[in-house]
Amino acid sequence: MKKENIIVNVACALFFIHSSIAAAISGFVYEDKNKNNIKDKNEKPIANIAVSNGRDVVLTDKKGQYHLDVNDSRTVFVIKPAGWNTRTDTLNIPRFYYNLIDVQFSTSMDFALYKNSESDNFDIILYGDPQLKSKEEIGFFCHDAIEETIGVKGEFGVILGDIAFDNQNLYNEIDKAVALTGINFYRVPGNHDMDYNAKDDDDALENYRKLYGPPYYSFNYGNVHFIMLDNIISKRVDDSYLRYDEGISDRILEFIKNDLAFVSKDKQVVLMGHANITEFDHNKNELLDMLAEYPHTLSIAGHDHRIKNIFIDSNDGWDGKKPHHIYVAGAVCGAWWQGFPNEDGIPNAMMTDGTPNGYSIVSFKKHEYSIRYKAFGKDEDFQMIAYLPDEMTSQQAAESEVILNIFAGTEKDIVEMSIDSNKDWKFMQYEPKEAPFRNIALDKEAEYNFPRYDWAKSKSITGHIWTSKLPTDLSEGTHIIFFRSVDMYGNKHFAKRIIRIQ
């Protein structure tokens, strides 16, 4: 063999060895008793804790150590077990990961855990789409969302994507505001959190990753296993704009498969992401097949700027024993922080389904859950709004339709109304249709040339409307219409509306 060939082969061998070393990492998971985020000699390792590179999932051995290949990985993270907490920073952002671009591969990538008393009964806070594009809108966000959430009971919160509106310079100010709630907030990315200068999906969330870590991951709390998804797949159609599809990549699907391999069938499995599964163009059926193996599931999403309760069954490719519930949580920004301003200068921001902007609370109890919606600036009992003309003749009343919009209502709700006596209740009919107050607001804004995004002017069908007819013999005078509902969780809600018959 020629001398120069020997040199080349040795060089290739050394390069291969170096690459192999650089493509593998290891570390420990340990109980950080003094909470200094350093593995001290007297701190015990923790066995059987899951760690992932975003595809593979491995368990720590009896020494608390894990080993992972990271050839094409950008982050490595620990999957928080129930009864433990991971580190959070001064802005209450969970820091359970390493960004591999920021660390030396020769360093032991250790994860600190702290014991945490966790019940199977707990609440979490959902913020759908804050979608802030300016400092002025950060003010709206602070006065509407943050001030109202301070003091609310919640073990943690989740921002369901579209943290900002194509303005990544605002993230730090947004994070500072969210931190004032005193609640640890997890995040998932939305389509407006992409870097629009990126060349493809792999690079579209690089800035997001630097700030918040892996765009998809999982963790446990109580009896619930949460899977947090990046379900926006970026694609460059031309050189001018980065577009996207809803769905999950093959790599994320493989991560979910490997993750669920360590999750007991007795767990409640909750998926969270920006888009809801019914909108997926990629790996929808494959994901549903994995999820259907678990008897207790729930999916949560944002993205649509309206509240939806979707129940999918075998007709939709779902093979679970009972329909799978998808809750679309609406948007903190409502209709993109637009609409007539209130006395504080904050837009009323009614969503496209006639729902006021607000947030949701999910209550978990072992395998059960319930969801309630909270409109900003309103009492907790404000769960519905009725529409019909304030003043009518008897003839007009006989021909009028009562329209009731229950903000987080589902087709499973039992809804009734009564005239004057708060008795003799009559069932109302579930009938998705346009929300009248939303249409009236749009018409008034057009009359006064009030600015609004073109896409926010559309009138659309609301999936939580109930209707009924008034009695044909209403006497002249003032009448009260009472409303009551029982939702799918057994919670009761009430409302009333006054009309005048002339």
Side-chain angles (χ1 to χ4, degrees), residues 156-176:
F156 60 87
V158 179
I159 302 179
L160 294 165
D162 284 0
I163 302 166
F165 195 169
D166 302 341
N167 188 349
Q168 298 180 355
N169 294 323
L170 296 179
Y171 282 138
N172 185 249
E173 290 297 317
I174 296 169
D175 294 342
K176 289 177 181 178

Side-chain angles (χ1 to χ4, degrees), residues 389 391-401 470 501-502:
E391 183 176 272
M392 297 172 282
T393 65
S394 296
Q395 180 63 33
Q396 288 170 333
E399 298 170 354
S400 293
E401 183 178 51
L470 288 173
I501 304 299
Q502 299 297 328

Side-chain angles (χ1 to χ4, degrees), residues 64-100:
Q65 191 172 29
Y66 71 90
H67 301 274
L68 276 168
D69 292 329
V70 288
N71 288 311
D72 56 354
S73 302
R74 302 197 183 195
T75 58
V76 60
F77 54 89
V78 66
I79 297 174
K80 186 192 93 65
W84 296 85
N85 256 344
T86 57
R87 182 176 71 90
T88 57
D89 66 13
T90 56
L91 296 179
N92 298 326
I93 300 174
R95 301 299 187 187
F96 52 91
Y97 59 87
Y98 288 93
N99 278 323
L100 297 181

Side-chain angles (χ1 to χ4, degrees), residues 34-314:
N34 60 8
K35 297 186 178 182
N36 66 351
N37 201 41
I38 298 172
K39 185 178 180 297
D40 298 316
K41 290 183 179 180
N42 63 334
E43 291 179 331
K44 295 180 180 179
I46 310 174
N48 296 316
I49 303 299
V51 182
S52 178
N53 59 14
R55 177 189 286 126
D56 307 308
V57 179
V58 299
L59 296 180
T60 55
D61 60 22
K62 63 182 179 180
K63 295 181 180 180
Q65 191 172 29
Y66 71 90
H67 301 274
L68 276 168
D69 292 329
V70 288
N71 288 311
D72 56 354
S73 302
R74 302 197 183 195
T75 58
V76 60
F77 54 89
V78 66
I79 297 174
K80 186 192 93 65
W84 296 85
N85 256 344
T86 57
R87 182 176 71 90
T88 57
D89 66 13
T90 56
L91 296 179
N92 298 326
I93 300 174
R95 301 299 187 187
F96 52 91
Y97 59 87
Y98 288 93
N99 278 323
L100 297 181
I101 196 172
D102 298 329
V103 295
Q104 295 291 330
F105 278 63
S106 59
T107 303
S108 181
M109 297 186 194
D110 303 334
F111 293 101
L113 295 180
Y114 321 108
K115 285 186 177 180
N116 186 45
S117 178
E118 296 180 3
S119 170
D120 289 344
N121 303 345
F122 63 96
D123 293 349
I124 67 171
I125 308 297
L126 301 179
Y127 277 2
D129 300 50
Q131 204 160 334
L132 303 159
K133 73 175 187 298
S134 65
K135 292 288 185 73
E136 179 185 37
E137 290 187 356
I138 290 179
F140 297 159
F141 177 60
C142 288
H143 298 313
D144 250 6
I146 302 303
E147 290 176 2
E148 182 140 332
T149 310
I150 293 172
V152 172
K153 178 185 175 184
E155 296 305 318
F156 60 87
V158 179
I159 302 179
L160 294 165
D162 284 0
I163 302 166
F165 195 169
D166 302 341
N167 188 349
Q168 298 180 355
N169 294 323
L170 296 179
Y171 282 138
N172 185 249
E173 290 297 317
I174 296 169
D175 294 342
K176 289 177 181 178
V178 173
L180 297 176
T181 65
I183 299 170
N184 295 340
F185 265 85
Y186 292 91
R187 289 152 173 83
V188 294
N191 53 290
H192 289 288
D193 296 313
M194 301 187 301
D195 179 357
Y196 285 89
N197 295 317
K199 66 179 185 294
D200 54 26
D201 188 56
D202 286 339
D203 294 330
L205 291 175
E206 196 57 41
N207 289 332
Y208 175 96
R209 193 179 287 108
K210 290 175 182 177
L211 289 172
Y212 305 122
Y216 62 94
Y217 52 98
S218 64
F219 63 92
N220 299 276
Y221 195 101
N223 193 55
V224 184
H225 183 71
F226 294 93
I227 301 176
M228 317 299 281
L229 297 178
D230 166 20
N231 53 29
I232 299 297
I233 301 177
S234 307
K235 60 181 183 179
R236 187 163 289 287
V237 177
D238 51 50
D239 292 335
S240 62
Y241 199 72
L242 192 67
R243 302 185 186 276
Y244 65 91
D245 292 328
E246 288 93 350
I248 58 173
S249 67
D250 292 343
R251 181 184 179 89
I252 296 176
L253 187 71
E254 190 172 353
F255 162 70
I256 296 170
K257 176 184 176 181
N258 295 331
D259 177 52
L260 288 176
F262 297 110
V263 179
S264 164
K265 295 295 191 297
D266 188 54
K267 289 278 190 179
Q268 171 109 334
V269 178
V270 176
L271 292 186
M272 290 198 197
H274 188 56
N276 82 71
I277 297 174
T278 64
E279 299 172 319
F280 282 16
D281 297 312
H282 302 273
N283 286 321
K284 171 186 173 182
N285 292 331
E286 292 81 358
L287 177 58
L288 289 177
D289 287 345
M290 289 182 189
L291 199 59
E293 296 182 11
Y294 288 78
H296 312 289
T297 61
L298 170 68
S299 289
I300 295 171
H303 194 33
D304 285 349
H305 295 254
R306 67 181 72 190
I307 293 181
K308 294 181 181 177
N309 284 279
I310 305 168
F311 300 90
I312 59 175
D313 56 23
S314 57

Side-chain angles (χ1 to χ4, degrees), residues 10-22:
V10 170
C12 289
L14 290 173
F15 176 79
F16 176 78
I17 293 171
H18 176 75
S19 298
S20 298
I21 294 172

